[in-house]
Amino acid sequence: MSCEVSASGGNFTPCPAGLHPAICTAVIPVGTQTGSFKGTPKLQSKVVLSFEVCTPKMADGKPYTINAYLTASISDNAVLRQFLKSRRGRDFTADELKKFDLHNVVGVPCQINVLHEDNKQGGVRDMIQGVLPKAAGFAYPPPVNPLIKFSLKNWDQAAYDRLPEWIKKKIAASPEGAAKLTGGTAPAAGTQTAAAPSDSEIPF
């Protein structure tokens, strides 16, 4: 099963389309964000997963990076659940789900299937169309980018300061991030902008 995941951020030069060996280099929760479902506004907990492409390289020799912006849920029909199932080659057991920690995918090799689509600026953006287990026989090199396991609960201001600007803006716009940055307390679920987490949402 394929899972289309929009890229966000990343390079101005899109990664070539096709199947490429890659490594997950970051898992960054960005808190409760306002999205939409069938045209209706919806509050959802979101997370960014970053993938470093091992080959091909950019013209300057640096690796391409693609960021997937996903709802932080592993319910049966969640895109993230399909994303992880495809990489593992199997679904989770009930026991595995109870102990699941998304940060464990950081540093894990895989393959990503990249496709291109036109963007609103008249250019092309790269997207992750699917994720597969690591390529057999391929010698994965150490990642060039630092491995990041960010947490909103265990806040590290220095780690936040090192994040890309577009990710910091998303975190700051969330009630969880705003509370950490101002030294306050996040609004109670349902009282302002925060949404009550479901049982399937991933705690960060």
Side-chain angles (χ1 to χ4, degrees), residues 90-167:
R90 64 177 180 86
D91 201 356
F92 293 87
T93 65
D95 189 52
E96 286 173 333
L97 287 174
K98 292 177 183 177
K99 300 178 291 185
F100 178 71
D101 182 354
L102 187 58
H103 283 139
N104 288 339
V105 305
V106 175
V108 174
C110 62
Q111 296 179 87
I112 57 173
N113 192 18
V114 178
L115 60 80
H116 288 174
E117 73 166 19
D118 295 336
N119 61 25
K120 295 180 180 179
Q121 290 73 39
V124 173
R125 68 168 179 167
D126 45 16
M127 300 180 65
I128 300 174
Q129 195 267 343
V131 182
L132 298 172
K134 68 178 183 179
F138 179 78
Y140 281 79
V144 174
N145 294 301
L147 300 182
I148 300 174
K149 298 180 180 180
F150 189 72
S151 172
L152 290 172
K153 287 188 175 181
N154 301 314
W155 186 265
D156 183 332
Q157 185 63 40
Y160 171 83
D161 291 340
R162 291 193 296 269
L163 296 175
E165 285 300 320
W166 70 273
I167 292 182

